[in-house]
Amino acid sequence: MGWVRAPAPPMAFNSFEYGLFLWSVYVLFWTLSRQRSLRHSFLLVASYWFYAQADWRFLGLLAISSVVDYAAGLGVERNRENGDPRGAKRWLALSLVANLGMLGWFKYFGFFTAEIGALLTSLGFAPSTPVLEIALPVGISFYTFQTLSYTLDIYAGRMKPIRSLLDFSLYVSFFPQLVAGPIVRARDFLPQLESPPAFRSEQLASGLFQILRGLAKKLLIADVLGLYLVDRAFENADSMGELGALGLLVATYGYALQLYGDFAGYSDIAIGSARCLGFELPKNFDAPFKAKSLEDFWSRWHISMSSWFMDYVYIQMGGSRGSWWKASRNVLVAWGLVGLWHGAAWTFVLWGLYHGAWLIIVRAVRKLLPGGAFPDRLPFRLAGGLFTFHVVAFSMVLFRCPDMDTFWTACRQVVDWSRPLPELPWQIWAAIGVGYVTHLWPGDLAESLERRYVACHPVVQGAILAAGIVVFFLLAPPGTAPFIYFQF
Amino acid sequence: MKPWQTFGWRTVAAVCVLVGFDRGLYYLGDHGKWIVQKRHPHLGWQMLPNQNGWSRFYEVRETTNDLGYRGADWPAAPKAVRRALGKDAPAISPVEGDARTDGELRIAVVGNSMTYGSSVEDGDVWTVELQGLLTEELRRRGDMRTVHVQNFAVQGYVFEQMARTFEQRIAPFLPDLLLVPNTTYDLAPMPRPEPSFDYPLRPWIVRTAISDFAVRKVHGRWMPRPPAPTEVPPEVAIEGNRERWEAVSPRARDVAWRLFAADRGAPEAEANKIPADARIGHFARADEDTLARLWERAKGEERALLLDLLPPGLFERVRQTVQHELSAHPYQSSMRWLWDRSAERLEGLRERLEAHGGQLVLFSMPTLNRVSRPDQPSTSAYWSMWAAGNDGRRRAVEFDPTADLRSEMPELAKFLADPNVFHRTDRGEIQIPEGAPEFASTLFFPKDVGHLNARGHRVLAEALAARLLESGALDASR
């Protein structure tokens, strides 16, 4: 029985309606750019309207989260100034309870009650646990973490609270990053609201290029692989059982690329949209499959989330200080929580613990090496990259499997080399080939293309934009596939 | 340079490229010229309004009016219509007031592609011909009423969709007559509308040449075929069970519960002890296999009642099976429930129609099979009895004009009585061979024997006009 219903899909970044929405917001925003309150009010209304397209009933949660943390920020600061650390702690507790309470109720309550019920039943009791089917508010995992980071930063003295509720509400609900990140820190975003935005043609061109780049990743790579390969392979234990080792390998490589294309594509469009409006959002992906180690991978993949857990959970628990056991415990707790953040299911928790366990193992091995590190030579770098990629790709099997039954079937497939490779259309091979080649291209291919695009005359930029959209529309699978990460 | 100016250049360039590409595909590649449909949450699908294009296969000009039906705009839209249809109401000079005017005879027609007029020009559709013929004949008889025949047919509709069209679209027009052509195909259950099919802006996007090019030349040929829709997971089926249970009639619930309890091996007396309100608690957890077993167990009318309780995947499988059986053995007793289901539905339409002084007219739509094989049973076998009523009061006018069409192509009809004379294409389609006797007299398209050609429409209209006049349904004194 499902206890959390997937959120209603928001206005997709890869839809025509979003294109129209962004264009309209752009024109009005820059028309109002000289009047601060009007400009920010307009962006706030546009962001709330954008959110309401998914489910207007959850606008209240967004507003509550904004108001509570706005007040908590001021409360923490006032008590700190008055020399009352206990009062500051109380305000911090309010923020934690409100945000984690909302997250816990909507995302985890049903899961834990069902698990406790199952446990009691297995022990011979007949519990009457409530069975709730709660719709998950879209983006709740992202915006609650944003607001929490604000209060925690103020508590830690890393920033001052903001006086304007309007500005703070805009920070929480800014539409490009509202639904699926990047998880923006208040200290990075709020200063951008202080001064009037200065329009720069290069910034707009760069934003448009980011949007095109994101659309290419989403439509040409992620959607093709998702529809024609991954969704079929990972549908259930039966479909998984037909793959064999070779099929599983291709499906896993495909899924790794799909997940990257989908999420990095989303992030690119988010960053590009914000850039068109004169705002800079933090980079969320940095060619993660080029990583030479697992730590390196997590500094390149979903950077805003991994750095959040690093700063606010792992380091707060003591980080790598203390004994090996203590440091390992901290790693496992932090990664267990990373897994749980992704969803209320044991597969996600296992996925997080798996990464934590590998980080511990790699660190332990490294300690045994002379100089405490692997030699910085090409064969070692290549081996490290391949090893890291396969550790990560295997974890994605766990991430993607709909249930543990499918996952155990996948594990059995690893040793079944008797089956031939399933027949696949050439378009899948093309998507995998193009995806990995452009990703692993030496240097930053996208950056050099972006430089060339920005250098073009605006008319050429507009023509390339339109031609790109037409080509992507023609080559993408029919229909609008929702982004994977909006459900988290 | 000001922001809007900079962005303006990019916008202008992007729009020019998009429009240029679209128009290029339109004029040079013949894309985006076709009449297209959109999904409708209640009717299943309907034509997009105000289109002017070619029918997909036969390069014949078609138009849809501002309500999305075949042909030009209608001359009258009463207030009630505008209220009922809201923004979709015709934007033409309406007749004030809800009642019909004395000087008008309003005939509404439902149907599918045969009545829509697939592959014939707007002016050749039998409904247009009928309007002309009736106007002429009534004037000749000194009856000066203006005849309006409004064609509400949509390609692919089955009877349930026609009934819904009446309820949603036709009823506010308060028609004098409702013409319901029938074939055995119409009895099949209506496909459930797929809410995911449409997306915002689709009505505009789907009309573009780029979209047409993508669908026909790229996705249809170059990209692999998308996988079949996945089976509904059990938890979704359970959730849907509850919603469907609440949507059906108490009678349907009783039947479903009885079958469900029997499937679980519970004696009837014991099953009946469970109060009606609590039954959903049990039924909601029925998985798709259980529901499939209930369907197999159900007989006759029980199937009609159970149909709406089936989850989407199972429903579609059942619908296709029923459609297949219906095309093979429409008059078998095992198919009787489909006829009775339609009759029950038609009874509701009749009552609503008659409440405003309207009358129901049924006729058997001539198909090539029946035109060429007089020994074949007709839908009139069922509907004439239903129309006659069982209490001495006639329910509807009913007739079968097939013989009129047969008399227009007697030699060809005789020749085509042998199913082996047809030419079969590689794709399994049957065609009338060009060497057939009196080939030119055909009333059906030789390469699309399922549809009447322009001459066929004309002959059908003449036959219908004669039968309607004969029946007295058009009498002003009625």
PDB file of all heavy atoms in Angstrom, chain B residues 403-415:
ATOM      1  N   ALA B 403     -32.209  -0.811 -48.455  1.00  0.00           N
ATOM      2  CA  ALA B 403     -32.715  -1.286 -49.750  1.00  0.00           C
ATOM      3  C   ALA B 403     -32.666  -0.171 -50.803  1.00  0.00           C
ATOM      4  O   ALA B 403     -32.442  -0.446 -52.001  1.00  0.00           O
ATOM      5  CB  ALA B 403     -34.144  -1.794 -49.589  1.00  0.00           C
ATOM      6  N   ASP B 404     -32.857   1.058 -50.371  1.00  0.00           N
ATOM      7  CA  ASP B 404     -32.828   2.184 -51.308  1.00  0.00           C
ATOM      8  C   ASP B 404     -31.453   2.314 -51.938  1.00  0.00           C
ATOM      9  O   ASP B 404     -31.308   2.651 -53.116  1.00  0.00           O
ATOM     10  CB  ASP B 404     -33.176   3.495 -50.596  1.00  0.00           C
ATOM     11  CG  ASP B 404     -34.578   3.473 -50.017  1.00  0.00           C
ATOM     12  OD1 ASP B 404     -34.884   2.512 -49.288  1.00  0.00           O
ATOM     13  OD2 ASP B 404     -35.347   4.406 -50.277  1.00  0.00           O
ATOM     14  N   LEU B 405     -30.435   2.055 -51.144  1.00  0.00           N
ATOM     15  CA  LEU B 405     -29.077   2.150 -51.674  1.00  0.00           C
ATOM     16  C   LEU B 405     -28.786   0.960 -52.589  1.00  0.00           C
ATOM     17  O   LEU B 405     -28.114   1.103 -53.614  1.00  0.00           O
ATOM     18  CB  LEU B 405     -28.043   2.212 -50.539  1.00  0.00           C
ATOM     19  CG  LEU B 405     -27.784   3.620 -49.995  1.00  0.00           C
ATOM     20  CD1 LEU B 405     -28.908   4.076 -49.086  1.00  0.00           C
ATOM     21  CD2 LEU B 405     -26.467   3.694 -49.259  1.00  0.00           C
ATOM     22  N   ARG B 406     -29.317  -0.194 -52.177  1.00  0.00           N
ATOM     23  CA  ARG B 406     -29.076  -1.396 -52.991  1.00  0.00           C
ATOM     24  C   ARG B 406     -29.642  -1.197 -54.386  1.00  0.00           C
ATOM     25  O   ARG B 406     -29.039  -1.604 -55.380  1.00  0.00           O
ATOM     26  CB  ARG B 406     -29.704  -2.614 -52.308  1.00  0.00           C
ATOM     27  CG  ARG B 406     -29.246  -3.945 -52.886  1.00  0.00           C
ATOM     28  CD  ARG B 406     -29.886  -5.109 -52.143  1.00  0.00           C
ATOM     29  NE  ARG B 406     -29.521  -5.105 -50.736  1.00  0.00           N
ATOM     30  CZ  ARG B 406     -30.402  -5.113 -49.745  1.00  0.00           C
ATOM     31  NH1 ARG B 406     -31.703  -5.108 -49.996  1.00  0.00           N
ATOM     32  NH2 ARG B 406     -30.001  -5.112 -48.502  1.00  0.00           N
ATOM     33  N   SER B 407     -30.798  -0.549 -54.461  1.00  0.00           N
ATOM     34  CA  SER B 407     -31.450  -0.388 -55.757  1.00  0.00           C
ATOM     35  C   SER B 407     -30.653   0.555 -56.678  1.00  0.00           C
ATOM     36  O   SER B 407     -30.881   0.579 -57.881  1.00  0.00           O
ATOM     37  CB  SER B 407     -32.875   0.158 -55.573  1.00  0.00           C
ATOM     38  OG  SER B 407     -32.801   1.454 -55.020  1.00  0.00           O
ATOM     39  N   GLU B 408     -29.730   1.309 -56.120  1.00  0.00           N
ATOM     40  CA  GLU B 408     -28.916   2.227 -56.925  1.00  0.00           C
ATOM     41  C   GLU B 408     -27.666   1.557 -57.498  1.00  0.00           C
ATOM     42  O   GLU B 408     -26.981   2.136 -58.331  1.00  0.00           O
ATOM     43  CB  GLU B 408     -28.488   3.432 -56.081  1.00  0.00           C
ATOM     44  CG  GLU B 408     -29.623   4.363 -55.716  1.00  0.00           C
ATOM     45  CD  GLU B 408     -30.169   5.120 -56.928  1.00  0.00           C
ATOM     46  OE1 GLU B 408     -29.370   5.534 -57.786  1.00  0.00           O
ATOM     47  OE2 GLU B 408     -31.404   5.264 -57.006  1.00  0.00           O
ATOM     48  N   MET B 409     -27.328   0.395 -56.974  1.00  0.00           N
ATOM     49  CA  MET B 409     -26.141  -0.312 -57.489  1.00  0.00           C
ATOM     50  C   MET B 409     -26.424  -1.826 -57.501  1.00  0.00           C
ATOM     51  O   MET B 409     -25.653  -2.613 -56.927  1.00  0.00           O
ATOM     52  CB  MET B 409     -24.891   0.009 -56.638  1.00  0.00           C
ATOM     53  CG  MET B 409     -25.112  -0.033 -55.133  1.00  0.00           C
ATOM     54  SD  MET B 409     -23.634   0.363 -54.161  1.00  0.00           S
ATOM     55  CE  MET B 409     -22.779  -1.173 -54.117  1.00  0.00           C
ATOM     56  N   PRO B 410     -27.500  -2.236 -58.198  1.00  0.00           N
ATOM     57  CA  PRO B 410     -27.948  -3.633 -58.084  1.00  0.00           C
ATOM     58  C   PRO B 410     -26.924  -4.657 -58.569  1.00  0.00           C
ATOM     59  O   PRO B 410     -26.662  -5.645 -57.877  1.00  0.00           O
ATOM     60  CB  PRO B 410     -29.217  -3.672 -58.942  1.00  0.00           C
ATOM     61  CG  PRO B 410     -29.141  -2.485 -59.840  1.00  0.00           C
ATOM     62  CD  PRO B 410     -28.366  -1.462 -59.110  1.00  0.00           C
ATOM     63  N   GLU B 411     -26.323  -4.402 -59.734  1.00  0.00           N
ATOM     64  CA  GLU B 411     -25.382  -5.383 -60.278  1.00  0.00           C
ATOM     65  C   GLU B 411     -24.126  -5.477 -59.423  1.00  0.00           C
ATOM     66  O   GLU B 411     -23.625  -6.557 -59.118  1.00  0.00           O
ATOM     67  CB  GLU B 411     -24.999  -4.998 -61.722  1.00  0.00           C
ATOM     68  CG  GLU B 411     -26.138  -5.179 -62.711  1.00  0.00           C
ATOM     69  CD  GLU B 411     -26.682  -6.612 -62.682  1.00  0.00           C
ATOM     70  OE1 GLU B 411     -25.861  -7.558 -62.705  1.00  0.00           O
ATOM     71  OE2 GLU B 411     -27.914  -6.773 -62.600  1.00  0.00           O
ATOM     72  N   LEU B 412     -23.635  -4.310 -59.066  1.00  0.00           N
ATOM     73  CA  LEU B 412     -22.415  -4.277 -58.245  1.00  0.00           C
ATOM     74  C   LEU B 412     -22.680  -4.938 -56.888  1.00  0.00           C
ATOM     75  O   LEU B 412     -21.860  -5.701 -56.381  1.00  0.00           O
ATOM     76  CB  LEU B 412     -21.955  -2.833 -58.061  1.00  0.00           C
ATOM     77  CG  LEU B 412     -20.657  -2.630 -57.276  1.00  0.00           C
ATOM     78  CD1 LEU B 412     -19.494  -3.339 -57.957  1.00  0.00           C
ATOM     79  CD2 LEU B 412     -20.327  -1.150 -57.111  1.00  0.00           C
ATOM     80  N   ALA B 413     -23.844  -4.659 -56.312  1.00  0.00           N
ATOM     81  CA  ALA B 413     -24.193  -5.243 -55.012  1.00  0.00           C
ATOM     82  C   ALA B 413     -24.197  -6.769 -55.109  1.00  0.00           C
ATOM     83  O   ALA B 413     -23.673  -7.462 -54.231  1.00  0.00           O
ATOM     84  CB  ALA B 413     -25.544  -4.725 -54.550  1.00  0.00           C
ATOM     85  N   LYS B 414     -24.789  -7.279 -56.193  1.00  0.00           N
ATOM     86  CA  LYS B 414     -24.838  -8.745 -56.360  1.00  0.00           C
ATOM     87  C   LYS B 414     -23.426  -9.316 -56.458  1.00  0.00           C
ATOM     88  O   LYS B 414     -23.103 -10.336 -55.857  1.00  0.00           O
ATOM     89  CB  LYS B 414     -25.595  -9.075 -57.667  1.00  0.00           C
ATOM     90  CG  LYS B 414     -27.029  -9.458 -57.440  1.00  0.00           C
ATOM     91  CD  LYS B 414     -27.631  -9.920 -58.739  1.00  0.00           C
ATOM     92  CE  LYS B 414     -29.100  -9.521 -58.748  1.00  0.00           C
ATOM     93  NZ  LYS B 414     -29.652  -9.527 -60.091  1.00  0.00           N
ATOM     94  N   PHE B 415     -22.595  -8.616 -57.228  1.00  0.00           N
ATOM     95  CA  PHE B 415     -21.224  -9.072 -57.430  1.00  0.00           C
ATOM     96  C   PHE B 415     -20.459  -9.096 -56.095  1.00  0.00           C
ATOM     97  O   PHE B 415     -19.730 -10.035 -55.786  1.00  0.00           O
ATOM     98  CB  PHE B 415     -20.532  -8.128 -58.429  1.00  0.00           C
ATOM     99  CG  PHE B 415     -19.074  -8.431 -58.621  1.00  0.00           C
ATOM    100  CD1 PHE B 415     -18.663  -9.527 -59.393  1.00  0.00           C
ATOM    101  CD2 PHE B 415     -18.108  -7.623 -58.056  1.00  0.00           C
ATOM    102  CE1 PHE B 415     -17.311  -9.792 -59.559  1.00  0.00           C
ATOM    103  CE2 PHE B 415     -16.760  -7.888 -58.228  1.00  0.00           C
ATOM    104  CZ  PHE B 415     -16.364  -8.978 -58.986  1.00  0.00           C
TER     105      PHE B 415
END
